[in-house]
């Protein structure tokens, strides 16, 4: 079984030792690992001889009415998958108090990148994400850390944070891993009933439709957003947002180009799902 540490103290020590042997790569997750997470572990293993995987359902990034209490967990399964993918050890904090001991009061507040999209719909979410990731970077002093484009806004915010705060960890983004039918893998897909699983495909279809319109010459941002929204509706999804944004600053561009991204968030029943992709890509 893969070495497992439960305290911040032991995690720091394990990382210190690992760094004596060369580069250390970090893969932060909330667990219930799927092939999207595993792709990050594999990419990390290509980049460094030691890969530290963290599994922590971080309470500070959940809103009061969100799914913190029922977020799926499977530590044993996760350890097996990490090991098979080339992970070296896992840090799974024993509980929230391990990361937020009594008296904790210092948070990392991201800037304008955290205002639109999920930042607008989930107040405080990215503050919680930045705080926990900054702590993981500080504990591990990893040379590089791997994040999925599935959470593209998060990736850009963390990149910016690492640069702004001179954290010394290179932030590496990796492509979205999808099911055969296009649905982006997510731990939250486990919540979906068979009917909701069908509805969820609407996210991929909305993205694909917007791409098809773009390929046919449409460059108007509002028109592309309308196409995406309509597809979400047609699938019985409740759209949280369907927005076309510049990948670098996440602002609305005057006109779409191939690198411009479609960002989607929608509810299938009670489950909130997200997806995104560049208009000029197909994957
Ligand atoms: P989470 O456990 O949801 O916090 O995700 C941990 C990391 O895995 C984040 O960097 C996510 O962006 C990444 N991730 C989640 N789903 C996917 C996916 N389908 N493809 C690639 N990366 C993913």
């Amino acid at each position: 079984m893969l070495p497992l540490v439960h305290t911040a103290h032991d995690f720091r020590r394990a990382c210190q030792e690992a760094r004596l042997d060369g580069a250390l790569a970090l893969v932060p997750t909330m667990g219930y690992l799927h092939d999207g997470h595993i792709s990050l572990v594999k990419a990390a293993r290509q980049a460094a001889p030691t890969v530290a995987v963290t599994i922590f359902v971080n309470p500070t990034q959940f809103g009061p009415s969100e799914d913190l209490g029922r977020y799926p967990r499977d530590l044993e399964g996760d350890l097996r998958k990490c090991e098979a993918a080339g992970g070296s050890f896992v840090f799974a904090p024993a509980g929230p108090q391990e990361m937020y001991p009594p008296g904790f009061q210092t948070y990392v507040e991201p800037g304008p990148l955290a205002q639109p999209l999920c930042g607008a719909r989930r107040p405080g979410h990215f503050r919680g994400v930045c705080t926990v990731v900054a702590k993981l970077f500080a504990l591990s002093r990893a040379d590089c850390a791997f994040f999925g484009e599935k959470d593209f806004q998060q990736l850009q915010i963390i990149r910016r944070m690492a640069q702004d705060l001179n954290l010394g960890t290179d932030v590496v983004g990796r492509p979205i891993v999808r099911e055969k039918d296009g649905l982006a893998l997510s731990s939250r897909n486990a919540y979906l009933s068979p009917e909701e699983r069908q509805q969820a495909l609407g996210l991929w279809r909305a993205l694909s439709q917007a791409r098809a319109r773009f390929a046919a010459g449409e460059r108007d941002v509002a028109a592309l957003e309308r196409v995406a929204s309509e597809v979400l509706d047609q699938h019985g999804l409740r759209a949280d947002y369907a927005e076309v944004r510049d990948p670098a600053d996440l602002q609305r561009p005057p006109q779409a180009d191939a690198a411009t991204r479609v960002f989607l968030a929608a509810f299938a029943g009670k489950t909130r799902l997200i997806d995104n992709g560049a208009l000029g890509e197909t994957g």
Side-chain angles (χ1 to χ4, degrees), residues 206 223-235 237 239 241-243 264:
L224 291 163
E225 288 175 343
R226 258 196 316 277
V227 170
S229 288
E230 279 166 17
V231 178
L232 295 179
D233 285 351
Q234 285 158 11
H235 283 76
L237 291 166
Y241 59 73
E243 297 187 26
L264 304 169

Side-chain angles (χ1 to χ4, degrees), residues 263-274:
F263 291 89
L264 304 169
F267 287 90
K270 287 199 173 102
T271 303
R272 186 176 181 278
L273 300 171
I274 58 172

Side-chain angles (χ1 to χ4, degrees), residues 28-31 34 36-37 39-40 71 146-148 150-151 154 175-177 184-185:
T29 80
M30 297 205 298
H34 52 62
H37 298 115
S39 74
L40 300 181
Y71 197 83
F146 287 73
F147 295 87
K150 159 91 186 330
D151 302 275
Q154 166 178 285
I176 300 176
V177 178
L185 297 190

Side-chain angles (χ1 to χ4, degrees), residues 221 244-246 251-257 260:
V221 167
V244 169
R245 298 268 175 168
D246 180 90
Q251 296 299 306
R252 218 153 187 258
Q255 260 214 331
D257 65 30
T260 306

Side-chain angles (χ1 to χ4, degrees), residues 27-40 54 56 61 71 146-152 154-155 158 172 174-179 183-189:
V27 181
T29 80
M30 297 205 298
Y32 211 70
L33 302 182
H34 52 62
D35 284 351
H37 298 115
I38 294 309
S39 74
L40 300 181
T54 67
F56 180 54
Q61 71 190 67
Y71 197 83
F146 287 73
F147 295 87
E149 288 184 351
K150 159 91 186 330
D151 302 275
F152 192 89
Q154 166 178 285
L155 169 63
I158 289 171
V172 183
R174 299 288 306 166
I176 300 176
V177 178
R178 300 179 177 281
E179 301 278 8
L183 178 67
L185 297 190
S186 164
S187 306
R188 290 190 167 99
N189 292 349

